[in-house]
């Protein structure tokens, strides 16, 4: 079973990396995160100049002032780019007619879904490593004696990875429900925008505000971004990934059922 | 026809997705949200009907059974997962991944929280996009997870300007209010240190520190590197009330004095002033004297009677003297602490304590005429030496006295049998550099802890030490124009192109192949 799963992952990875899309997406992600880092650093330099003698007064901490906001900005870019990477995973198999061949082979739906997800997870890891370069540049240019919190950065990147994986799982589920890649991208974008909207709803405050905000994966990233690993947040991402993969699995299974 | 139905589906999604935001952002007029929800539900019904008509196989026969089983399975996963998440939300199970453990509640804070007689209400006035509100929320969750009875409310000033005005919150003022019954305290930064200090003020009794003046002493103001405004803020944070005292004008030491502080007195004290302080010490008074090399301490005659004095010259530690952070001056770093309660934790913490232009403290042989017990607190490294010229810029080890000069010491004596006493023990603390408590000096965590611990010990019981909650170490970033343009080049051009280049190669190869 594992061999077939890895074979699916390998084919999917090959497909991702032999089209320019993943490189173009990495290019934009790198440029945008670089831009965010420059903007945030500029603000930090101004604060350093203003409060150099009394840095506590301005909360001059790299992680709180630069790294955490940078990671929280990247989540919005993930909302836009991950549907583009996932739209073709299963939808194009149907559009090209190769799905029927896969469905009639020995390959089980679980192996197909897990293999595709494994490949997407590796692509997401690549995207996270593109983002990880930026804070490391900051650690390199900081004044001697400045504190750079590597373990908190690792926690923030772990959160971003889980967020990316959950978005990829949602995209895979959307791709399994249709035979049009464009429709799959639109559907997953809509679901992820809903997550964004839920987070915005949290700004209303009160019980409902925090309840709705708690349903959004974007709010779940906040703890990771500041260096706090909460069990509920990890479980939340596992649930989103598990639920989405189950949707994809049931959608593929439907074809066999219906014959 | 199918396209028209798909449009209804899209419309339903858009209306229903945006409805919660409309509802929460226009609470005064919920009618718009209601209209959106109704329109969304109607569109959804039309779409579902279309789905039933055109793709009947999905919901009837074998397809229907499959859909039902799938729905049950997915609902089961959601319910079990949701319950598990809710359980962990309630239990607050979390791990602090920061290297300085900033989200771990300090023992001192726990002790303070245990003393809460009723619910502590925390109000914070931060906008939705201000990161500090987010940090505070997480911090309060951490306090709640440790079992504290705390209520938290985050108020967005742009959404609730009336309440913000009523609470007297402005752009410059502290934005966190702690309320305990009718008492309230305001806190500037969302750190555990500041919250705990605010709590200490709420729970504590008033303790007044009198800063002596009239002899060229430093005053507790000034925001520059050499100013003492931060010390004033820290002491207020620790629950002290601060006041100045001119002994010549007052002619007495107020009964409310928890301790006296002499910050770098430059001219000698008058005989009558020394007499007043001596009498004060005899009845259990508390005094902190902070000197500096090159400044002849006006209190030396009194100190000598207690077995201590500031010696001539300056302590030079070759490791730190002349460094830019001490503006090229002679300086010393504490290399050894004793096991006295004031510094015992500092020895274990490894915090940096840096003094610039420290005057050597001398323990007199045979003690002073006042009796009591003299104890050293902190000393410089064995490689340091005392240089005779305190203002000289040339620092060279000659035949001067060398090795482990004393940088902090204290004296104490029992007064429990004295009638009309102010306390059961008279206490005197000596710091060789007043500048260690300046804004620039307090940047070093060791300086801050040593100064606050010593003042807390002088003014109160042995148990009262500064809250040692973890805080992130500060960072600094200065970039010249050239460095900035190089950074832009790296982040906006070089790195992105590095990722794009393989894509261009792949694209070229595909074109050639096709």
């Amino acid at each position: 079973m594992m061999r077939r799963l890895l074979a699916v992952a390998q084919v999917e990875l090959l497909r991702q990396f032999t089209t320019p899309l993943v490189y173009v997406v990495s290019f934009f992600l790198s440029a945008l995160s670089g831009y965010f880092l420059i903007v945030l650093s500029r603000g930090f330099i101004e604060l350093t100049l203003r409060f150099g003698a009394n840095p506590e007064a301005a909360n001059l901490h790299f992680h709180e002032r630069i790294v955490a906001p940078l990671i929280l900005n990247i989540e919005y870019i993930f909302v836009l780019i991950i549907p583009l990477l996932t739209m073709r995973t299963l939808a194009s198999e149907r559009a090209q007619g190769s799905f029927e061949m896969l469905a009639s082979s020995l390959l089980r739906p679980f192996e197909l879904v897990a293999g595709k997800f494994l490949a997407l997870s590796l692509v997401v890891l690549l995207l996270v490593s593109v983002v990880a370069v930026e804070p490391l540049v900051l650690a390199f240019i900081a004044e001697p004696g400045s504190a750079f919190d590597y373990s908190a950065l690792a926690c923030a990147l772990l959160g971003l990875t889980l967020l990316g994986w959950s978005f990829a799982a949602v995209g895979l589920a959307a791709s399994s429900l249709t035979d049009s890649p464009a429709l799959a991208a639109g559907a997953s974008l809509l679901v992820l925008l809903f997550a964004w909207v839920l987070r915005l709803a949290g700004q209303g405050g009160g019980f409902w505000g925090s309840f709705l905000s708690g349903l959004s994966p974007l709010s779940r990233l906040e703890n990771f971004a500041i260096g706090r690993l909460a069990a509920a947040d990890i479980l939340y991402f596992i649930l989103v990934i598990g639920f989405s993969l189950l949707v994809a699995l049931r959608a593929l299974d439907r074809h066999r059922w219906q014959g | 026809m199918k396209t028209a139905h798909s449009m209804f589906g899209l419309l339903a999604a858009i209306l229903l997705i945006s409805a919660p935001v409309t509802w929460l952002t226009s609470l005064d007029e919920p009618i718009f949200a209601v209209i959106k929800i109704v329109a969304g539900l109607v569109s959804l019904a039309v779409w579902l009907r279309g789905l039933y008509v055109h793709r009947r196989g999905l919901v009837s026969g074998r397809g229907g059974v499959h859909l039902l089983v799938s729905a049950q399975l997915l609902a089961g996963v959601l319910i079990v997962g949701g319950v598990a998440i809710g359980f962990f939300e309630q239990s607050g199970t979390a791990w602090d991944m920061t290297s300085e453990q900033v989200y771990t509640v300090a023992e001192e804070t726990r002790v303070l929280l245990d003393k809460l007689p009723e619910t502590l209400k925390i109000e914070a006035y931060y906008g939705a996009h201000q990161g500090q509100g987010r940090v505070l929320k997480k911090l309060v969750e951490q306090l709640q997870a440790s079992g504290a009875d705390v209520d938290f409310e985050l108020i967005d000033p742009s959404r609730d300007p009336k309440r913000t005005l009523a609470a007297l919150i402005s752009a410059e003022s502290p934005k966190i209010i702690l309320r305990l019954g009718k008492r309230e305290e305001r806190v500037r930064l969302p750190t555990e240190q500041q919250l705990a200090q605010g709590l200490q003020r709420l729970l504590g009794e008033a303790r007044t520190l009198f800063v002596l003046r009239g002899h060229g002493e430093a005053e507790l103001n000034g925001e520059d590197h050499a100013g003492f405004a931060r010390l004033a803020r820290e002491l207020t944070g620790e629950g002290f009330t601060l006041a100045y005292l001119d002994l010549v004008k007052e002619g007495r030491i107020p009964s409310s004095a928890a301790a006296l502080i002499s910050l770098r007195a430059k001219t000698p004290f008058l005989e009558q002033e020394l007499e007043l302080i001596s009498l004060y010490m005899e009845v259990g008074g508390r005094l902190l004297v902070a000197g500096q090399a090159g400044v002849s301490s006006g209190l030396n005659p009194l100190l000598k009677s207690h077995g201590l004095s500031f010696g001539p010259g300056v302590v030079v530690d070759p490791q730190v003297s002349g460094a830019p952070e001490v503006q090229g001056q002679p300086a010393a770093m504490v290399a050894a602490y004793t096991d006295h309660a004031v510094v015992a934790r500092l020895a274990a913490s490894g915090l940096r304590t840096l003094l610039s232009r420290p005057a050597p403290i001398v323990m007199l042989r045979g003690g002073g005429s006042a009796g009591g017990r003299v104890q050293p607190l902190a000393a410089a490294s064995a490689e340091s030496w005392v240089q005779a010229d305190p203002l000289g810029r040339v620092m060279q080890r000659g035949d001067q006295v060398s090795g482990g000069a004393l940088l902090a010491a204290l004296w104490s004596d029992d007064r429990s049998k004295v009638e009309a006493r102010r306390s059961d023990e008279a206490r005197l603390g000596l710091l060789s550099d007043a500048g260690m408590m300046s804004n620039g000096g307090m940047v070093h965590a060791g300086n801050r802890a040593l100064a606050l611990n010593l003042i807390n010990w002088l003014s109160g019981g042995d148990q009262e030490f500064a809250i040692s909650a973890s805080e992130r170490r500060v960072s600094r970033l200065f970039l010249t124009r050239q460095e900035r343009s190089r950074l832009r080049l790296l982040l906006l051009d070089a790195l992105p192109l590095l990722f794009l280049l393989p894509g261009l190669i792949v694209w070229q190869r595909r074109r050639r192949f096709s």
Side-chain angles (χ1 to χ4, degrees), chain B residues 292-343:
Chain B
Q292 193 164 53
V295 176
S296 65
S297 173
L299 278 169
N300 247 353
L302 177 95
L303 298 178
K304 280 179 179 164
S305 67
H306 291 79
L308 288 162
S309 80
F310 289 111
V314 63
V315 183
V316 179
D317 182 341
Q319 276 190 339
V320 286
S321 291
E325 61 183 324
V326 288
Q327 277 97 41
Q329 296 187 63
M333 203 148 67
V334 172
Y337 291 103
T338 59
D339 58 357
H340 192 277
V342 168
V343 288

Side-chain angles (χ1 to χ4, degrees), chain A residues 54 220 223 228-229 257, chain B residues 62 89 95 138 142 233:
Chain A
N54 194 9
R220 296 282 169 177
N223 270 328
R228 194 166 165 249
L229 199 61
W257 249 67
Chain B
R62 283 169 70 99
E89 290 269 19
W95 298 272
K138 301 296 171 202
Q142 198 77 17
R233 280 196 295 273

Side-chain angles (χ1 to χ4, degrees), chain B residues 2 13 24-25 65 87 96 134 158 181 183 187 230-231 241 244 300 350 386 392 402 436 441 452 461 482 504:
Chain B
K2 270 179 89 173
L24 284 163
T25 50
V65 173
F87 171 76
D96 189 349
R134 196 166 51 231
S158 61
R183 296 182 69 184
V187 171
R230 182 173 170 179
L231 176 65
T241 304
Y244 289 104
N300 247 353
V386 176
S402 64
M436 71 165 287
L452 296 184
Q482 195 183 21
L504 288 174

